[in-house]
Amino acid sequence: MSKKISVIVPVYNSIGCLERCVRSLCAQTYANLEILLIDDGSTDGTGELCERLAADERILVRHKENGGASSARNLGLSLASGEYIGFVDSDDYVDTYVYEELACALEAGKYPVAQISRDEVDEEGRRLPDVCIPPEKERFCDSETFIKELLLHRGDSSFCTKLFTREVFEGHRFPEGELNEDFWLLLKILQEIPGIGILPRQGYHVVCRQESTTRKRTKDSFSRVFLDIVENADKVQQLVDRKYPGLHEHAVRFNLYQRLEYMLHVPLSQMRGDNAFYKKVKRYLRRHVGDTVKNPYLTGKNKGYLLLLTAAPRTVRSVHAWKMKRREKSRSR
């Protein structure tokens, strides 16, 4: 336990959940820990809560203008003094053994990165279906295999479930002003390391919070994450074809799947001829009908939706919206 671990927690308007997160970090069995709370311009009293929590001498608080989670993480990286670097989202919490086991894995396995497995819970603490299936025992996953699992949506791209040696971030920072920022940065890092040690226990708990009434979605709401995942997919395809040609079909599958996600979420009001991004996605799908049909890593359901949305996107989405409204009406009776 001689090496210090710096845990970076970006914080924004987290008044209802931050204390649980910080208490779980303060209770870690690994003693040589510093906790960096980066208040990203909170407006709900979270900044004051950070200061109260800093009664624990291991906690360092910094306040900054709102710039997003990536800018908060980057500030944390500039302040961190530990040889190992970890991240936790302020909504989430960790079991007491997590950083001790991750640090032991880094030491014993000589890994540059170790990953604890995760589960997802709702706000009442009820388990949700696993997104990532944990291994039965600790294993080393080489970088190419890890990338393959990410392309099949079976891997864990989160930085929060991982502990890194400080050297991993030399020359790397989180891209600011983007969503889905974990994914592309992790792929850049994976090219420079042999792989990741994965631990079986699900010690990191992702808390899925319901949207508040002040952020309630409307029919025209559309997160830019669905644009960013498409742009990241294009960069991934270039990377794979250059460095991992054996994963070409996996990357094609990933590209098509990310565009399917976009087409299923873009509001009908934005599915029009003057939306350049929407038009670009449509053109891509039409050029890759053959890939949609032949790709062995797409499910039959994926292929069906892709082909329908390629042929008549507005009609398919309109019918889908009508069916959803009827289903909601029948449930409310």
Side-chain angles (χ1 to χ4, degrees):
M1 295 191 184
S2 60
K3 292 185 177 179
K4 182 187 286 187
I5 296 176
S6 297
V7 182
I8 298 167
V9 186
V11 178
Y12 177 73
N13 287 359
S14 306
I15 195 75
C17 55
L18 178 62
E19 189 163 1
R20 175 181 59 190
C21 172
V22 173
R23 295 300 178 208
S24 76
L25 293 172
C26 290
Q28 290 296 299
T29 56
Y30 195 93
N32 195 6
L33 197 76
E34 72 171 359
I35 302 162
L36 302 165
L37 302 182
I38 311 299
D39 172 32
D40 190 37
S42 296
T43 58
D44 68 344
T46 296
E48 291 79 3
L49 175 58
C50 288
E51 295 293 343
R52 293 197 296 274
L53 293 171
D56 188 309
E57 62 182 12
R58 294 172 295 175
I59 297 175
L60 173 69
V61 177
R62 287 292 184 272
H63 304 279
K64 61 183 286 296
E65 292 185 2
N66 181 254
S70 288
S71 67
R73 285 176 168 180
N74 288 339
L75 176 57
L77 284 169
S78 71
L79 297 169
S81 61
E83 291 99 326
Y84 296 150
I85 306 290
F87 302 88
V88 173
D89 284 342
S90 59
D91 293 353
D92 305 336
Y93 60 99
V94 294
D95 289 337
T96 57
Y97 60 81
V98 163
Y99 284 105
E100 182 174 354
E101 290 199 358
L102 285 170
C104 287
L106 290 181
E107 289 293 326
K110 306 299 181 184
Y111 311 136
V113 183
Q115 173 182 292
I116 196 80
S117 293
R118 78 184 204 203
D119 61 20
E120 296 196 358
V121 298
D122 65 17
E123 290 176 287
E124 283 71 48
R126 293 181 295 241
R127 280 286 301 271
L128 300 172
D130 287 333
V131 175
C132 304
I133 305 301
E136 293 183 1
K137 59 182 180 180
E138 181 178 343
R139 71 183 183 93
F140 176 76
C141 185
D142 67 84
S143 288
E144 184 167 350
T145 301
F146 200 96
I147 291 172
K148 181 179 76 172
E149 292 300 299
L150 292 176
L151 297 178
L152 294 174
H153 289 92
R154 298 192 305 225
D156 184 357
S157 64
S158 173
F159 276 68
C160 292
T161 53
K162 299 170 179 64
L163 186 65
F164 303 82
T165 56
R166 186 182 190 88
E167 291 74 23
V168 166
F169 288 98
E170 290 181 1
H172 292 299
R173 287 298 183 264
F174 290 90
E176 299 186 18
E178 296 181 22
L179 300 175
N180 193 226
E181 70 280 3
D182 284 9
F183 189 86
W184 180 241
L185 179 55
L186 182 59
L187 259 67
K188 289 167 72 175
I189 289 171
L190 282 166
Q191 297 174 68
E192 301 173 1
I193 63 174
I196 295 177
I198 305 176
L199 308 183
R201 287 215 273 178
Q202 292 175 292
Y204 189 97
H205 306 292
V206 178
V207 180
C208 298
R209 298 169 66 191
Q210 295 293 322
E211 287 186 310
S212 69
T213 54
T214 58
R215 294 187 291 120
K216 193 172 182 180
R217 285 175 54 85
T218 69
K219 67 178 182 178
D220 294 319
S221 299
F222 187 48
S223 170
R224 69 158 293 165
V225 71
F226 295 106
L227 283 68
D228 289 345
I229 63 173
V230 170
E231 292 181 343
N232 275 344
D234 287 337
K235 291 190 287 188
V236 168
Q237 186 76 62
Q238 294 172 13
L239 164 66
V240 165
D241 288 345
R242 185 175 71 253
K243 293 201 67 171
Y244 306 101
L247 299 180
H248 173 77
E249 284 194 318
H250 299 81
V252 170
R253 178 259 177 207
F254 184 78
N255 239 307
L256 290 166
Y257 190 94
Q258 300 301 73
R259 283 168 167 81
L260 173 59
E261 285 289 296
Y262 170 88
M263 293 295 277
L264 287 173
H265 289 89
V266 61
L268 277 166
S269 61
Q270 295 186 32
M271 298 174 78
R272 57 180 191 263
D274 61 347
N275 184 335
F277 198 93
Y278 168 67
K279 287 176 65 179
K280 187 167 70 171
V281 171
K282 278 204 310 180
R283 284 196 300 270
Y284 182 97
L285 293 178
R286 287 172 180 170
R287 287 199 308 268
H288 290 82
V289 168
D291 288 322
T292 298
V293 173
K294 294 184 296 183
N295 192 279
Y297 302 109
L298 287 167
T299 67
K301 186 177 181 180
N302 295 158
K303 293 179 180 182
Y305 269 114
L306 279 165
L307 292 172
L308 286 169
L309 286 165
T310 301
R314 281 188 60 86
T315 301
V316 171
R317 284 292 308 281
S318 296
V319 171
H320 183 262
W322 175 76
K323 284 185 176 180
M324 293 300 293
K325 282 184 180 178
R326 288 200 61 182
R327 188 177 300 172
E328 288 174 8
K329 284 183 179 179
S330 65
R331 285 176 179 171
S332 62
R333 285 174 186 166

